[in-house]
Amino acid sequence: MSEQIEKAISRKYDAGFVSDIESDTFPPGLDEDVIRRISAMKDEPEWMLEWRLQAFRSWQKMKEPDWAHLGYEKIDYQAISYYSAPKSMKDKPKSLDEVDPELLRTYEKLGIPLHEQKMLAGVAVDAVFDSVSVVTTFREKLEEAGVIFCPISEAIKKYPDLVKKYIGSVVPRGDNFFAALNSAVFTDGSFVYIPKGVRCPMELSTYFRINELNTGQFERTLIVAEEGSHVSYLEGCTAPQRDENQLHAAVVELVAMDDAEIKYSTVQNWYPGDENGKGGIYNFVTKRGIAHKNAKISWTQVETGSAITWKYPSCILKGDNSVGEFYSVALTRGRQQADTGTKMIHLGKNTKSTIISKGISAGNSSNAYRGLVKMGPGADGARNFTECDSLLIGDKCAAHTFPYIESSNPTAIVEHEATTSKVSDDQLFLCQQRGLDTEKAVSMIVNGFCKEVFKELPMEFAVEAGKLLEISLEGSVG
Amino acid sequence: MLTIKDLHARVEEKTILKGLNLTVNPGEVHAIMGPNGAGKSTLGYVMSGRDGYELESGSIELNGEDLMELDVEERAQKGLFLAFQYPVEIPGVSNMEFMKESVNAMRKARGEEALTAAEFLKVAKEACKQVNLPLDFLKRGVNEGFSGGEKKRNEIMQMILLQPSLAILDESDSGLDIDALKVVANGVNSQRDGKRSFIVVTHYQRLLDFIEPDFVHILSDGKIVKSGGPELAKEVEATGYAWLGKPEEAGA
Ligand SMILES: Nc1ncnc2c1ncn2[C@@H]1O[C@H](COP(=O)(O)OP(=O)(O)OP(=O)(O)O)[C@@H](O)[C@H]1O
Ligand SMILES: [Mg+2]
């Protein structure tokens, strides 16, 4: 691992390049017409368009939330383009050979080879570029197991009944400002369906890339795990380095039926902006899962990118004995701001949730944990354990913790622990005295701090995440 | 190998070392004793280049090289090792991982190939046994929840793994039971090969029964005020430091 790390350290935001790809991009602006055009581009059925339009109408009546611990200039929603797709994707390439090589090169450069020979063994990838899915690998192999893994735009046409049944069932169209916006304009994303009793034979992952200037990315992911099934899914995100802020507003819905298990991991590395806070992605994401009887939903996130992160992956523990987990590492540096956490809504009996949040702040950044644990009246014997640790690097950054607990059941138990620590001079000196340079020392200390979360990531990605922290930390020690 | 000449150094505007001279030849063991606050730990920190410890005048040379020109990790890579008086914890970083990175950083600096995980595990297990720590200490976080004595033994384990040319042991014997004391002494003795040198800071003659020093120095108020053979330690044990008189107040 250390070899790669050494290499990684010598670079800055690694994924900041722009691909030279001709795109069809809508002019900026948002009205019902734009939504009709998006729907038409995707060749959608009427019910989908209607659903979008209703979302749009409720969005128009909503106010952008301002309760988060974030400061940014008002977003002009009319200055954003809501659709952009590589021209070459218009003819819908049938196989990899027909995909624009420049697109494939983009993913190659990001370390995601899409060619069959080079693909990561055991990981199926859906590659989403701006508003469209470029390619989904290992599809046949998955189909053999009965697993559906495809772009959501395709699922809407091929599996309308499934999509109709579940879309908006966990995050309703009008759930919140950003979710409503997404519901109106979402362009692509992944759809996963695991049939009853099936253990998905490989890791599924979606790789999101924003390329075009001034476009927003609004992806929507829906994962349905039928009774007794099991799936592990990972998403990764990057964007070019640009001076303008760009908006990313995604919605993810997870449905875990009785005895099912969904493990959802995120490695988010959107462009964070420069050290003065110029540019960077605004990341406003709604992620929520519903767990039926004995089901388990586990969110693991490593958030190192974005100028602004607003994100609270949540679990509705509806079924008795269902389990929710949230493991998070959020690193901010420079002028980055993060307000992230989770909601655990305990409805069923003996439901259990665990929250482990590790916030790391460096530079002039601000990092807030915001978490809600709610024990409903029927949540007899429910338990939550929350651990919330903050690590400060330097003295110009800030860490905040906002835990909310609402309990309407006297038999439910909620435990909360919080710590704040610093990378101490003593620790740094010990490492250096043992021959390690400062960067190495800091990344080792930070990695140690995050260990509880990293061990939850799928193997291949744990290494990736560690590397990401090293790159992100470069130059944050003075 | 080590030559310290007329060393003046300060911490936070306060001059602590006030004209210290010390020469250590290859293979020698020097014991440094002296009252609390005399500047013993400060000497170790100045030598290893800790941030905030500033050289006012004088020089420190290790194997002919001016140490003051080098960063902390470069000095370490040149073979300087400091066993801490108060070892610090690094939660979540396993001892094993920490020491492997450390050993390989040193090897890299010497232009040697890094040890593989398997190779390292073998030497680490040896070292762990040598300091009488159970093997699960390799998996635990660096000093995380270790007892005082275990921390000290862990420092010695690191010394054994790194094989420094000059090791400074800052009160590695404080707070140890008699068995642990022997472990520390054995650690040092096993490394004595006629080339490696040691500076052993201690308050107690007892350690010197097990590690026989070539020289004993008394450090008081930032200077070495008396040097001698092992008998000097016995003298201190018997009579204390009253003979030193009150240290002068700097600038008073
Ligand atoms: N950061 C600091 N700021 C101010 N004074 C300091 C600082 N660090 C050390 N000192 C002072 O320097 C003097 C020498 O300290 P040092 O730790 O070197 O003593 P020592 O000889 O190792 O003592 P002991 O036997 O108690 O370990 C002490 O008076 C101590 O208070
Ligand atoms: Mg001391």
Side-chain angles (χ1 to χ4, degrees), chain A residues 151-166:
Chain A
I152 198 157
S153 54
E154 190 183 315
I156 290 167
K157 285 176 281 181
K158 270 172 92 172
Y159 314 101
D161 296 343
L162 278 177
V163 176
K164 223 179 194 166
K165 182 167 172 193
Y166 292 110

Side-chain angles (χ1 to χ4, degrees), chain A residues 426-427 433-435 451, chain B residues 50 82 89 92 102 155 158:
Chain A
D426 286 348
Q427 289 172 329
Q433 212 300 309
R434 298 302 186 253
K451 187 170 240 162
Chain B
R50 182 170 191 160
L82 176 64
E89 301 189 1
S102 166
E155 295 289 292
Q158 291 169 44

Side-chain angles (χ1 to χ4, degrees), chain B residues 11-12 14 16 34-42 53 85 171 203:
Chain B
V11 197
E12 315 248 336
K14 187 179 169 206
I16 310 288
N36 293 135
K40 303 181 297 296
S41 293
T42 302
Y53 288 75
Q85 183 174 359
E171 297 199 23
H203 284 295

Side-chain angles (χ1 to χ4, degrees), chain A residues 2-3 5-6 424-427 429-438 440 444-449 451, chain B residues 45 48 50 72-73 76-77 80-82 84 88-93 97-98 101-102 105-106 108 155 158:
Chain A
S2 79
E3 272 290 274
I5 285 159
E6 240 81 90
S424 74
D425 294 344
D426 286 348
Q427 289 172 329
F429 178 56
L430 167 62
C431 294
Q432 292 166 322
Q433 212 300 309
R434 298 302 186 253
L436 308 174
D437 62 38
T438 315
K440 180 80 213 167
M444 188 144 95
I445 294 166
V446 170
N447 264 293
F449 175 75
K451 187 170 240 162
Chain B
Y45 291 149
S48 46
R50 182 170 191 160
V72 181
E73 63 268 26
Q77 289 158 3
L80 181 72
F81 179 91
L82 176 64
F84 290 83
V88 50
E89 301 189 1
I90 310 182
V93 177
E97 192 182 334
F98 175 69
E101 291 297 340
S102 166
M106 304 292 190
K108 194 172 172 200
E155 295 289 292
Q158 291 169 44

Side-chain angles (χ1 to χ4, degrees), chain A residues 179-197:
Chain A
L181 177 63
N182 174 287
S183 301
V185 303
F186 76 91
T187 40
D188 226 327
S190 300
F191 175 73
V192 176
Y193 179 81
I194 318 286
K196 188 170 164 180

